[in-house]
Structure formats: C-alpha cells, structure tokens
Amino acid sequence: MMPDQIKRYAIVNTSSTFDKFNAKEALDAALILASYEMAVSLFFIGDGVYQTQASQNPELIDGKDFISSFKALSFYDIEDIYISEACLAERQLTTNLAFKDAKLVNKDEFSIFLNQADVILTF
Amino acid sequence: MSSFALVVTTSPIDNKTNTALAFAEQLLADGHILKGIFFYQDGVLNANKYVQTPSDELNLLTAWAEFNKKTSTPLHLCYTAGERRGLTDSDDDQFNHNIHPAFTISGLGELVVLTCAASKVVQL
C-alpha cells in the first residue's frame, strides 16, 4: 500500500560507522522511505560524522562496505545531505567525503534544515 | 487531539522501553489516536516470547501483549531487524517460532505507511 501523502523525513545519524548496527539500519530505513517516494534528507552529527568519510576499511573487521553505496544515494533521489562541519573538525576528519554531493553546515544551518522535516528519526 | 505513531528502538532491558509503553498508554488515556507502534533496531527484541523477567520487575512482553489486547493498537515488528537478532516465525527443523502473537510481522514499508498516516511521530 502506498501512502497517500508525501512527508519529509530526516534521518539523523549520531553513531560512528560500525558502532552497533545503527548506521546500516539508518541507511536501510532511508532507502525504503525514498523508494516509497518520500522526501528523505540525511544528517550527520556527533560521532555520526565518522560515517561520512570516503576512506574506511570495513574489511578489516569483516564489515560490509555499505559506505560505498552512499555514492549511489542520488539514484534514490536522496540529495539533501547535511554534515556538521564543527563535528568533523572536532574529530580532525577530512572533507574527503563518501558522497557525491553533501553540504557542510554550521550549527544554525543544521537546525534550520532539520526543522524543515515532518518526521525525524535518529540513529 | 492528534494522531500518533510511535517508533520503539530500545530493547526490553532498556528502561526507555518502559517509558515508551507508559507514553503509549498515556496517549490513549488523553484521547489521542495511536495509529500503531513500529519496533525497529533493538526494539524488535521486545517481541521475543522467550525473554524472561525477574518476578519483581515489570515483564514488558506481557505488558505489550496486554496493551495490544486492550487497545488493539498494532505492534509492527521489522522482520529483517528481527532475524538479525534471532527472531523467527519459522517452525522448520532447528528453528522455533519465537515471536509473540501480539506482534505483527512487518517490514520497513510499514514504517513508511504508519509514520505517513500519523500527524505526529515519536521515537523512543
């Protein structure tokens, strides 16, 4: 059954890439929402910014490389991706990102974009 | 009065799950509509009928089942997340159906339908 209206969903990632299974289950939820033609945006804040890095070595822990699929998010029409610039900087991470297109935003911008969502799910 | 959907992502040994149940009960007591509850991530563990609780603590499984019986609120279980955590509805050799019947086996598609139908979504 397809929902009868379109809502805007924000998927907020606060866990590092391989901290429990949060990152993968967040991505699964985002892709399903997008496949139902919902408007989905992704947010990365706190340790969630670790997920944004292009250079990761999941094979070292026999992990699945779901990060490489971030490049394909535009095929699902997931194009609004917001990363906390301050959280990246605090962790001394690079701006070599796993996305084709993502926006580094300050705290105020992060809040503004997040407030545009109808539904916020945090992982 | 609003229509709500709840998303429970915490396991039965997380006190936040007690809060989720109390919140659900309060919503109905206050006259709101609760479209359903979606169990995802470790929240799916709430559906495992073999989980035991010490006798002097609240048995959340019994409590969820009673809530479902009393209010007919659907308790949707994400089966993919459940399988990863040892839940199965199979009765084949080496499997034991361990999902409590109060829960409805669903997928993430139900998360979309449920959260879309409600005017407010609360994740606990």
Side-chain angles (χ1 to χ4, degrees):
Chain A
M1 183 181 97
M2 289 298 279
D4 53 5
Q5 57 171 321
I6 304 294
K7 280 194 177 183
R8 288 161 298 179
Y9 288 79
I11 303 290
V12 183
N13 291 281
T14 66
S15 315
S16 62
T17 319
F18 299 102
D19 175 17
K20 294 201 269 183
F21 212 59
N22 293 354
K24 178 66 167 64
E25 291 191 318
L27 180 63
D28 288 348
L31 296 181
I32 294 282
L33 285 160
S35 71
Y36 277 75
E37 293 170 11
M38 297 294 133
V40 179
S41 48
L42 301 183
F43 292 78
F44 296 89
I45 193 166
D47 281 347
V49 296
Y50 284 109
Q51 294 179 38
T52 66
Q53 300 295 290
S55 300
Q56 308 210 24
N57 300 302
E59 67 282 358
L60 294 179
I61 54 163
D62 293 325
K64 193 176 169 217
D65 185 15
F66 58 89
I67 294 301
S68 62
S69 59
F70 280 180
K71 281 205 164 60
L73 285 172
S74 58
F75 291 117
Y76 290 84
D77 290 329
I78 298 177
E79 283 164 346
D80 296 328
I81 299 164
Y82 305 103
I83 303 168
S84 163
E85 196 166 26
C87 293
L88 267 187
E90 275 166 20
R91 290 162 183 77
Q92 302 187 17
L93 296 175
T94 70
T95 49
N96 179 21
L97 302 174
F99 307 97
K100 266 189 192 151
D101 195 18
K103 294 171 196 70
L104 298 183
V105 293
N106 66 32
K107 202 177 164 186
D108 289 342
E109 293 164 328
F110 197 95
S111 306
I112 289 166
F113 290 124
L114 194 55
N115 273 325
Q116 291 172 354
D118 299 309
V119 178
I120 298 174
L121 297 171
T122 307
F123 293 86
Chain B
M1 203 174 74
S2 301
S3 67
F4 281 81
L6 301 188
V7 181
V8 174
T9 55
T10 51
S11 84
I13 52 166
D14 191 320
N15 285 322
K16 283 181 205 157
T17 312
N18 297 37
T19 307
L21 177 62
F23 186 72
E25 286 171 336
Q26 193 61 48
L27 282 179
L28 295 177
D30 289 350
H32 295 294
I33 295 162
L34 180 53
K35 296 271 186 185
I37 305 179
F38 189 83
F39 292 81
Y40 190 42
Q41 295 203 277
D42 283 353
V44 299
L45 293 168
N46 285 283
N48 187 337
K49 69 180 182 189
Y50 295 129
V51 169
Q52 299 293 316
T53 310
S55 57
D56 58 346
E57 293 175 19
L58 173 70
N59 184 324
L60 269 172
L61 181 67
T62 314
W64 282 121
E66 274 172 19
F67 178 74
N68 168 258
K69 200 174 163 188
K70 201 170 62 191
T71 67
S72 303
T73 304
L75 308 177
H76 293 286
L77 178 73
C78 176
Y79 193 60
T80 312
E83 279 187 307
R84 287 188 182 279
R85 292 166 176 84
L87 291 171
T88 179
D89 64 346
S90 172
D91 283 316
D92 291 349
D93 284 354
Q94 301 177 355
F95 284 97
N96 275 314
H97 190 309
N98 61 352
I99 297 171
H100 192 281
F103 290 79
T104 306
I105 294 170
S106 303
L108 280 169
E110 192 60 46
L111 175 72
V112 186
V113 173
L114 194 62
T115 55
C116 222
S119 63
K120 293 180 196 298
V121 178
V122 178
Q123 178 185 12
L124 293 127

Coordinates of all heavy atoms in Angstrom, one line a residue, chain B residues 36-122:
Chain B
G36 N -0.3 3.2 15.6 CA 0.4 1.9 15.7 C 1.8 2.2 16.3 O 2.3 3.3 16.3
I37 N 2.5 1.1 16.6 CA 3.8 1.2 17.1 C 4.7 0.3 16.3 O 4.4 -0.8 15.9 CB 3.9 0.7 18.6 CG1 2.9 1.5 19.5 CG2 5.3 0.9 19.2 CD1 2.9 1.0 20.9
F38 N 5.8 0.9 15.8 CA 6.8 0.2 14.9 C 8.0 -0.1 15.8 O 8.6 0.8 16.3 CB 7.1 1.0 13.7 CG 7.9 0.3 12.7 CD1 7.2 -0.6 11.8 CD2 9.3 0.3 12.6 CE1 8.0 -1.3 10.8 CE2 10.0 -0.4 11.7 CZ 9.3 -1.2 10.8
F39 N 8.4 -1.4 15.8 CA 9.5 -1.8 16.5 C 10.7 -2.1 15.6 O 10.6 -2.9 14.6 CB 9.2 -3.1 17.3 CG 8.3 -2.9 18.5 CD1 6.9 -2.8 18.2 CD2 8.7 -2.7 19.8 CE1 6.0 -2.6 19.3 CE2 7.9 -2.5 20.8 CZ 6.5 -2.5 20.6
Y40 N 11.8 -1.3 15.8 CA 12.9 -1.4 14.9 C 14.2 -1.4 15.7 O 14.2 -1.2 16.9 CB 12.9 -0.2 13.9 CG 13.9 -0.2 12.8 CD1 14.1 -1.4 12.0 CD2 14.6 0.9 12.4 CE1 15.0 -1.4 11.0 CE2 15.5 0.9 11.4 CZ 15.7 -0.3 10.6 OH 16.6 -0.3 9.6
Q41 N 15.3 -1.8 15.0 CA 16.6 -1.9 15.7 C 16.4 -2.9 16.9 O 15.7 -3.8 16.8 CB 17.1 -0.5 16.1 CG 17.5 0.3 14.9 CD 18.5 1.4 15.2 OE1 18.1 2.4 15.8 NE2 19.7 1.1 15.0
D42 N 17.0 -2.5 18.1 CA 16.9 -3.4 19.2 C 15.5 -3.5 19.8 O 15.2 -4.4 20.6 CB 17.9 -3.0 20.3 CG 19.3 -3.4 20.0 OD1 19.5 -4.1 19.0 OD2 20.2 -3.1 20.8
G43 N 14.6 -2.6 19.3 CA 13.3 -2.7 19.8 C 12.6 -4.0 19.4 O 11.6 -4.4 20.1
V44 N 13.1 -4.6 18.3 CA 12.4 -5.9 17.9 C 12.5 -7.0 19.0 O 11.7 -7.9 19.0 CB 13.0 -6.4 16.6 CG1 12.8 -5.4 15.4 CG2 14.5 -6.8 16.7
L45 N 13.6 -6.8 19.9 CA 13.8 -7.8 20.9 C 12.6 -7.9 21.9 O 12.4 -8.9 22.5 CB 15.1 -7.5 21.7 CG 16.3 -7.7 20.8 CD1 17.5 -7.1 21.6 CD2 16.6 -9.1 20.5
N46 N 11.8 -6.9 21.9 CA 10.6 -6.9 22.7 C 9.6 -8.0 22.3 O 8.8 -8.4 23.1 CB 9.8 -5.5 22.6 CG 10.5 -4.5 23.4 OD1 10.4 -4.4 24.6 ND2 11.3 -3.6 22.7
A47 N 9.7 -8.5 21.1 CA 8.8 -9.5 20.6 C 9.2 -10.9 20.9 O 8.4 -11.8 20.6 CB 8.6 -9.3 19.1
N48 N 10.4 -11.1 21.4 CA 10.9 -12.5 21.7 C 10.1 -13.1 22.9 O 10.3 -12.6 24.0 CB 12.4 -12.4 22.0 CG 13.0 -13.8 22.1 OD1 12.3 -14.8 22.4 ND2 14.3 -13.9 21.8
K49 N 9.3 -14.1 22.6 CA 8.5 -14.6 23.7 C 9.2 -15.4 24.7 O 8.7 -15.8 25.8 CB 7.3 -15.5 23.1 CG 7.8 -16.8 22.4 CD 6.5 -17.5 21.9 CE 6.9 -18.8 21.3 NZ 5.9 -19.5 20.6
Y50 N 10.5 -15.7 24.5 CA 11.3 -16.4 25.5 C 12.1 -15.5 26.4 O 12.8 -16.0 27.3 CB 12.3 -17.3 24.7 CG 11.7 -18.4 23.9 CD1 12.0 -18.7 22.6 CD2 10.7 -19.2 24.5 CE1 11.4 -19.7 21.9 CE2 10.1 -20.2 23.8 CZ 10.5 -20.4 22.5 OH 9.8 -21.4 21.7
V51 N 12.0 -14.2 26.3 CA 12.7 -13.3 27.2 C 12.0 -13.5 28.6 O 10.8 -13.4 28.7 CB 12.6 -11.9 26.7 CG1 13.1 -10.9 27.8 CG2 13.4 -11.7 25.4
Q52 N 12.9 -13.7 29.6 CA 12.4 -13.8 30.9 C 12.7 -12.6 31.7 O 13.7 -11.9 31.5 CB 13.2 -15.0 31.6 CG 12.9 -16.3 30.9 CD 11.5 -16.8 31.0 OE1 10.9 -16.7 32.1 NE2 10.9 -17.3 29.9
T53 N 11.8 -12.3 32.7 CA 12.0 -11.1 33.6 C 11.9 -11.6 35.0 O 11.1 -12.4 35.3 CB 10.8 -10.1 33.3 OG1 10.7 -9.9 31.9 CG2 11.1 -8.8 34.0
P54 N 12.8 -11.1 35.9 CA 12.7 -11.4 37.3 C 11.3 -11.1 37.8 O 10.7 -10.1 37.4 CB 13.7 -10.5 38.0 CG 14.7 -10.3 36.9 CD 13.9 -10.2 35.6
S55 N 10.8 -11.9 38.7 CA 9.4 -11.8 39.1 C 9.0 -10.5 39.8 O 7.9 -10.1 39.8 CB 9.0 -13.0 40.1 OG 9.9 -12.9 41.2
D56 N 10.0 -9.8 40.3 CA 9.7 -8.5 40.9 C 9.9 -7.3 40.0 O 9.9 -6.1 40.4 CB 10.6 -8.3 42.2 CG 12.1 -8.4 41.9 OD1 12.4 -8.8 40.8 OD2 12.8 -8.0 42.8
E57 N 10.1 -7.6 38.7 CA 10.2 -6.5 37.7 C 9.1 -6.6 36.7 O 8.5 -7.6 36.5 CB 11.5 -6.6 37.0 CG 12.7 -6.3 37.9 CD 14.1 -6.5 37.2 OE1 14.1 -6.5 35.9 OE2 15.1 -6.7 37.9
L58 N 8.8 -5.4 36.1 CA 7.7 -5.4 35.0 C 8.1 -6.3 33.9 O 9.2 -6.1 33.3 CB 7.5 -4.0 34.6 CG 6.6 -3.8 33.4 CD1 5.1 -4.1 33.8 CD2 6.7 -2.4 32.7
N59 N 7.3 -7.2 33.5 CA 7.5 -8.0 32.3 C 7.0 -7.3 31.1 O 5.8 -7.2 30.9 CB 6.8 -9.4 32.5 CG 7.2 -10.3 31.3 OD1 7.3 -9.8 30.1 ND2 7.3 -11.6 31.5
L60 N 7.9 -6.7 30.4 CA 7.5 -5.8 29.3 C 6.7 -6.6 28.2 O 5.8 -6.1 27.6 CB 8.7 -5.2 28.6 CG 9.0 -3.8 29.2 CD1 10.4 -3.3 28.7 CD2 7.9 -2.8 28.9
L61 N 7.1 -7.9 28.0 CA 6.4 -8.6 26.9 C 5.0 -8.8 27.3 O 4.1 -8.5 26.4 CB 7.1 -10.0 26.7 CG 6.5 -10.8 25.6 CD1 6.7 -10.2 24.3 CD2 7.0 -12.2 25.7
T62 N 4.7 -9.2 28.5 CA 3.3 -9.4 29.0 C 2.6 -8.0 28.9 O 1.4 -7.9 28.5 CB 3.3 -9.9 30.4 OG1 4.2 -10.9 30.5 CG2 1.9 -10.3 30.8
A63 N 3.3 -7.0 29.2 CA 2.7 -5.6 29.2 C 2.3 -5.2 27.8 O 1.3 -4.6 27.6 CB 3.6 -4.6 29.9
W64 N 3.3 -5.4 26.9 CA 3.0 -5.0 25.5 C 1.8 -5.9 25.0 O 0.9 -5.3 24.3 CB 4.2 -5.3 24.6 CG 5.3 -4.3 24.6 CD1 6.6 -4.5 24.9 CD2 5.2 -2.9 24.3 NE1 7.3 -3.4 24.8 CE2 6.5 -2.4 24.5 CE3 4.2 -2.0 23.9 CZ2 6.8 -1.0 24.2 CZ3 4.4 -0.7 23.7 CH2 5.7 -0.2 23.9
A65 N 1.8 -7.2 25.3 CA 0.7 -8.0 24.8 C -0.7 -7.6 25.4 O -1.7 -7.5 24.7 CB 1.0 -9.5 25.2
E66 N -0.7 -7.2 26.7 CA -1.9 -6.7 27.3 C -2.4 -5.4 26.7 O -3.5 -5.2 26.4 CB -1.7 -6.5 28.8 CG -1.9 -7.8 29.6 CD -1.5 -7.6 31.1 OE1 -1.4 -6.4 31.5 OE2 -1.3 -8.6 31.7
F67 N -1.4 -4.6 26.4 CA -1.7 -3.3 25.8 C -2.3 -3.5 24.4 O -3.3 -2.9 24.0 CB -0.4 -2.5 25.6 CG -0.6 -1.1 24.9 CD1 -1.2 -0.1 25.6 CD2 -0.1 -0.9 23.6 CE1 -1.4 1.1 25.0 CE2 -0.3 0.3 23.0 CZ -0.9 1.3 23.7
N68 N -1.7 -4.5 23.7 CA -2.3 -4.8 22.3 C -3.7 -5.3 22.4 O -4.6 -5.0 21.7 CB -1.3 -5.8 21.7 CG -1.9 -6.4 20.4 OD1 -2.4 -7.5 20.4 ND2 -1.9 -5.7 19.3
K69 N -3.9 -6.2 23.4 CA -5.2 -6.8 23.6 C -6.3 -5.8 24.0 O -7.4 -5.8 23.5 CB -5.1 -7.9 24.7 CG -6.2 -9.0 24.6 CD -5.8 -10.1 25.6 CE -7.1 -10.9 25.9 NZ -6.8 -11.8 27.0
K70 N -5.9 -4.9 24.9 CA -6.8 -4.0 25.5 C -7.1 -2.9 24.5 O -8.3 -2.4 24.5 CB -6.1 -3.4 26.7 CG -7.0 -2.7 27.7 CD -6.2 -2.4 29.0 CE -5.1 -1.4 28.7 NZ -4.2 -1.2 29.9
T71 N -6.1 -2.5 23.7 CA -6.3 -1.3 22.9 C -6.4 -1.6 21.4 O -6.7 -0.7 20.6 CB -5.2 -0.3 23.1 OG1 -4.0 -0.9 22.6 CG2 -5.0 0.0 24.6
S72 N -6.1 -2.8 21.0 CA -6.0 -3.2 19.6 C -5.0 -2.3 18.8 O -5.1 -2.2 17.5 CB -7.4 -3.1 18.9 OG -8.3 -3.9 19.6
T73 N -4.1 -1.7 19.4 CA -3.0 -1.0 18.7 C -2.1 -1.9 18.1 O -1.5 -2.8 18.7 CB -2.2 -0.1 19.7 OG1 -3.1 0.7 20.5 CG2 -1.2 0.7 19.0
P74 N -1.9 -1.8 16.7 CA -0.9 -2.7 16.1 C 0.5 -2.5 16.6 O 1.0 -1.4 16.7 CB -1.1 -2.3 14.6 CG -2.2 -1.4 14.5 CD -2.5 -0.8 15.8
L75 N 1.2 -3.7 16.8 CA 2.6 -3.7 17.2 C 3.3 -4.3 16.0 O 3.4 -5.5 15.9 CB 2.8 -4.5 18.5 CG 1.9 -4.2 19.7 CD1 2.2 -5.2 20.8 CD2 2.1 -2.8 20.2
H76 N 3.9 -3.4 15.2 CA 4.6 -3.9 14.0 C 6.0 -4.2 14.3 O 6.7 -3.4 14.9 CB 4.5 -2.8 12.9 CG 3.1 -2.6 12.4 ND1 2.5 -3.5 11.6 CD2 2.2 -1.6 12.6 CE1 1.3 -3.0 11.3 NE2 1.1 -1.9 11.9
L77 N 6.4 -5.3 13.8 CA 7.8 -5.8 14.0 C 8.6 -5.7 12.7 O 8.1 -6.3 11.7 CB 7.7 -7.2 14.5 CG 9.0 -7.9 14.8 CD1 9.7 -7.3 16.1 CD2 8.8 -9.4 15.0
C78 N 9.7 -5.1 12.6 CA 10.5 -5.2 11.4 C 11.2 -6.5 11.4 O 12.1 -6.8 12.2 CB 11.6 -4.1 11.4 SG 12.7 -4.2 9.9
Y79 N 10.8 -7.3 10.4 CA 11.3 -8.7 10.4 C 12.8 -8.8 10.1 O 13.5 -9.7 10.6 CB 10.4 -9.6 9.4 CG 10.7 -11.0 9.6 CD1 10.4 -11.7 10.8 CD2 11.2 -11.8 8.6 CE1 10.6 -13.0 11.0 CE2 11.4 -13.2 8.7 CZ 11.1 -13.8 9.9 OH 11.3 -15.1 10.1
T80 N 13.2 -8.0 9.2 CA 14.7 -8.0 8.8 C 15.5 -7.7 10.1 O 16.5 -8.4 10.3 CB 15.0 -7.0 7.7 OG1 14.0 -7.1 6.7 CG2 16.4 -7.2 7.2
A81 N 15.2 -6.7 10.8 CA 15.9 -6.4 12.0 C 15.7 -7.5 13.0 O 16.7 -7.8 13.8 CB 15.4 -5.1 12.6
G82 N 14.6 -8.2 13.0 CA 14.3 -9.3 14.0 C 15.2 -10.5 13.7 O 15.8 -11.1 14.6
E83 N 15.3 -10.8 12.4 CA 16.1 -12.0 12.0 C 17.5 -11.9 12.4 O 18.1 -12.8 12.9 CB 16.0 -12.2 10.5 CG 14.8 -12.9 10.0 CD 14.8 -13.2 8.5 OE1 15.1 -12.3 7.7 OE2 14.6 -14.4 8.2
R84 N 18.1 -10.6 12.3 CA 19.4 -10.4 12.7 C 19.6 -10.6 14.2 O 20.7 -10.9 14.7 CB 19.8 -8.9 12.5 CG 20.0 -8.6 11.0 CD 20.6 -7.2 11.0 NE 20.7 -6.7 9.6 CZ 21.8 -7.1 8.8 NH1 22.7 -7.8 9.4 NH2 21.9 -6.7 7.6
R85 N 18.5 -10.5 14.9 CA 18.6 -10.7 16.4 C 17.9 -11.9 16.9 O 17.6 -12.0 18.1 CB 17.9 -9.4 17.0 CG 18.8 -8.1 16.8 CD 18.0 -6.9 17.1 NE 18.8 -5.7 16.9 CZ 19.0 -5.0 15.8 NH1 18.4 -5.5 14.6 NH2 19.7 -3.9 15.7
G86 N 17.8 -12.9 16.0 CA 17.4 -14.2 16.4 C 15.9 -14.5 16.5 O 15.5 -15.5 17.0
L87 N 15.1 -13.6 15.9 CA 13.7 -13.8 15.9 C 13.3 -14.5 14.6 O 13.9 -14.3 13.6 CB 12.9 -12.4 15.9 CG 13.0 -11.7 17.3 CD1 12.4 -10.3 17.1 CD2 12.3 -12.4 18.4
T88 N 12.4 -15.5 14.8 CA 12.0 -16.2 13.6 C 10.5 -16.6 13.7 O 10.0 -16.8 14.8 CB 12.8 -17.5 13.4 OG1 12.4 -18.2 12.2 CG2 12.8 -18.4 14.6
D89 N 9.8 -16.7 12.6 CA 8.5 -17.2 12.6 C 8.5 -18.6 12.0 O 7.4 -19.1 11.6 CB 7.5 -16.3 11.9 CG 7.8 -16.1 10.4 OD1 8.9 -16.5 10.0 OD2 6.9 -15.6 9.6
S90 N 9.7 -19.2 11.8 CA 9.8 -20.5 11.2 C 9.6 -21.6 12.2 O 10.1 -21.4 13.3 CB 11.1 -20.6 10.5 OG 11.3 -21.9 10.1
D91 N 9.0 -22.7 11.8 CA 8.9 -23.8 12.7 C 9.6 -25.0 12.1 O 9.4 -26.1 12.5 CB 7.4 -24.2 13.0 CG 6.8 -23.3 14.0 OD1 7.4 -23.0 15.0 OD2 5.6 -22.8 13.8
D92 N 10.5 -24.7 11.1 CA 11.3 -25.8 10.5 C 12.2 -26.4 11.5 O 12.4 -25.8 12.6 CB 12.1 -25.2 9.3 CG 11.2 -24.9 8.2 OD1 10.0 -25.2 8.2 OD2 11.7 -24.2 7.2
D93 N 12.9 -27.5 11.1 CA 13.9 -28.1 12.0 C 14.9 -27.0 12.4 O 15.3 -26.2 11.6 CB 14.7 -29.2 11.2 CG 13.8 -30.4 11.1 OD1 12.7 -30.5 11.7 OD2 14.2 -31.4 10.4
Q94 N 15.4 -27.1 13.6 CA 16.4 -26.1 14.1 C 15.8 -24.7 14.3 O 16.6 -23.8 14.7 CB 17.6 -26.1 13.3 CG 18.3 -27.5 13.1 CD 19.5 -27.4 12.2 OE1 19.8 -26.4 11.6 NE2 20.1 -28.6 12.1
F95 N 14.6 -24.5 14.1 CA 14.0 -23.2 14.4 C 12.8 -23.3 15.3 O 12.2 -24.3 15.4 CB 13.5 -22.5 13.1 CG 14.6 -22.0 12.2 CD1 15.0 -22.7 11.1 CD2 15.1 -20.8 12.5 CE1 16.0 -22.2 10.3 CE2 16.1 -20.2 11.6 CZ 16.6 -21.0 10.6
N96 N 12.7 -22.3 16.2 CA 11.5 -22.3 17.0 C 10.8 -20.9 16.8 O 11.5 -19.9 17.0 CB 11.8 -22.4 18.5 CG 11.9 -23.9 18.9 OD1 11.1 -24.7 18.5 ND2 13.0 -24.2 19.6
H97 N 9.6 -21.0 16.4 CA 8.8 -19.7 16.2 C 8.9 -19.0 17.6 O 8.3 -19.5 18.6 CB 7.4 -20.1 15.8 CG 6.6 -18.9 15.4 ND1 6.5 -17.7 16.2 CD2 5.9 -18.6 14.3 CE1 5.7 -16.9 15.6 NE2 5.3 -17.4 14.4
N98 N 9.5 -17.9 17.7 CA 9.7 -17.2 19.0 C 9.1 -15.8 19.0 O 9.5 -15.0 19.9 CB 11.2 -17.2 19.4 CG 12.1 -16.5 18.4 OD1 11.6 -16.1 17.3 ND2 13.3 -16.3 18.8
I99 N 8.3 -15.5 18.0 CA 7.7 -14.1 18.0 C 6.3 -14.2 18.7 O 5.5 -15.0 18.3 CB 7.6 -13.6 16.6 CG1 9.0 -13.5 15.9 CG2 6.8 -12.3 16.5 CD1 8.9 -13.2 14.5
H100 N 6.2 -13.4 19.7 CA 4.9 -13.4 20.4 C 3.7 -12.9 19.5 O 3.9 -12.0 18.7 CB 5.0 -12.4 21.6 CG 3.9 -12.5 22.6 ND1 2.6 -12.0 22.3 CD2 3.8 -13.2 23.7 CE1 1.8 -12.3 23.3 NE2 2.5 -13.0 24.2
P101 N 2.6 -13.6 19.6 CA 1.5 -13.3 18.6 C 0.9 -11.9 18.7 O 0.2 -11.5 17.8 CB 0.4 -14.4 19.0 CG 0.8 -15.0 20.3 CD 2.3 -14.8 20.4
A102 N 1.2 -11.2 19.8 CA 0.7 -9.8 19.9 C 1.3 -8.9 18.8 O 0.8 -7.9 18.5 CB 1.0 -9.3 21.3
F103 N 2.5 -9.4 18.3 CA 3.2 -8.6 17.3 C 2.8 -9.0 15.9 O 2.6 -10.1 15.6 CB 4.7 -8.7 17.5 CG 5.2 -8.0 18.8 CD1 5.0 -8.7 20.0 CD2 5.8 -6.8 18.8 CE1 5.5 -8.1 21.2 CE2 6.2 -6.2 20.0 CZ 6.0 -6.8 21.2
T104 N 2.8 -8.0 15.0 CA 2.5 -8.2 13.6 C 3.8 -8.2 12.9 O 4.6 -7.2 13.0 CB 1.6 -7.1 13.1 OG1 0.5 -7.0 13.9 CG2 1.2 -7.4 11.6
I105 N 4.1 -9.2 12.1 CA 5.4 -9.3 11.4 C 5.2 -8.4 10.1 O 4.3 -8.5 9.3 CB 5.7 -10.7 10.9 CG1 6.0 -11.5 12.2 CG2 6.9 -10.7 10.0 CD1 6.1 -13.0 12.0
S106 N 6.1 -7.3 10.1 CA 6.0 -6.3 9.0 C 7.4 -6.1 8.5 O 8.4 -6.7 8.9 CB 5.4 -5.0 9.6 OG 4.2 -5.2 10.2
G107 N 7.5 -5.1 7.7 CA 8.8 -4.6 7.2 C 8.9 -3.1 7.3 O 8.0 -2.5 7.8
L108 N 10.0 -2.6 6.8 CA 10.2 -1.1 6.9 C 9.1 -0.4 6.1 O 8.8 0.8 6.4 CB 11.6 -0.7 6.4 CG 12.7 -0.9 7.4 CD1 14.1 -0.8 6.7 CD2 12.6 0.1 8.5
G109 N 8.5 -1.1 5.1 CA 7.4 -0.4 4.4 C 6.3 0.0 5.3 O 5.7 1.1 5.1
E110 N 6.1 -0.7 6.4 CA 5.0 -0.4 7.3 C 5.4 0.9 8.1 O 4.6 1.6 8.5 CB 4.8 -1.6 8.3 CG 3.5 -1.4 9.1 CD 2.3 -1.3 8.3 OE1 2.1 -2.1 7.4 OE2 1.5 -0.4 8.6
L111 N 6.8 1.0 8.3 CA 7.2 2.3 9.0 C 6.8 3.5 8.1 O 6.4 4.5 8.7 CB 8.8 2.2 9.1 CG 9.4 3.5 9.7 CD1 9.1 3.7 11.2 CD2 10.9 3.5 9.4
V112 N 6.9 3.4 6.8 CA 6.6 4.5 5.9 C 5.1 4.7 6.1 O 4.6 5.9 6.3 CB 6.9 4.1 4.5 CG1 6.7 5.4 3.6 CG2 8.3 3.7 4.3
V113 N 4.3 3.7 5.9 CA 2.8 3.8 5.9 C 2.3 4.4 7.2 O 1.5 5.3 7.3 CB 2.2 2.4 5.6 CG1 0.6 2.5 5.8 CG2 2.5 1.9 4.3
L114 N 2.9 3.9 8.3 CA 2.4 4.3 9.7 C 2.8 5.7 10.0 O 2.0 6.5 10.4 CB 3.1 3.3 10.7 CG 2.6 3.3 12.1 CD1 1.2 2.8 12.1 CD2 3.5 2.3 12.9
T115 N 4.1 6.1 9.7 CA 4.5 7.4 10.1 C 3.9 8.5 9.1 O 3.7 9.6 9.5 CB 6.0 7.5 10.0 OG1 6.5 7.1 8.7 CG2 6.7 6.7 11.1
C116 N 3.5 8.0 7.9 CA 2.9 8.9 7.0 C 1.4 9.2 7.4 O 0.9 10.3 7.1 CB 2.9 8.3 5.6 SG 3.4 9.4 4.4
A117 N 0.8 8.2 8.0 CA -0.6 8.3 8.3 C -0.8 9.1 9.6 O -1.9 9.6 9.9 CB -1.2 6.9 8.5
A118 N 0.2 9.3 10.4 CA 0.1 10.0 11.7 C 0.5 11.4 11.6 O 1.4 11.8 10.8 CB 0.9 9.3 12.7
S119 N -0.2 12.3 12.4 CA 0.2 13.7 12.3 C 1.5 13.9 13.2 O 2.2 14.9 13.0 CB -0.9 14.6 12.7 OG -1.3 14.3 14.1
K120 N 1.7 13.1 14.1 CA 3.0 13.2 14.9 C 3.7 11.8 15.1 O 3.0 10.8 15.3 CB 2.6 13.7 16.3 CG 2.1 15.2 16.4 CD 1.8 15.6 17.8 CE 1.0 16.8 17.9 NZ 1.5 18.0 17.3
V121 N 5.0 11.9 15.0 CA 5.8 10.7 15.1 C 6.7 10.8 16.3 O 7.4 11.9 16.3 CB 6.6 10.3 13.8 CG1 7.4 9.1 14.0 CG2 5.6 10.2 12.6
V122 N 6.7 9.9 17.2 CA 7.6 10.0 18.3 C 8.5 8.7 18.4 O 8.0 7.6 18.3 CB 6.9 10.2 19.7 CG1 7.8 10.2 20.9 CG2 6.0 11.4 19.7

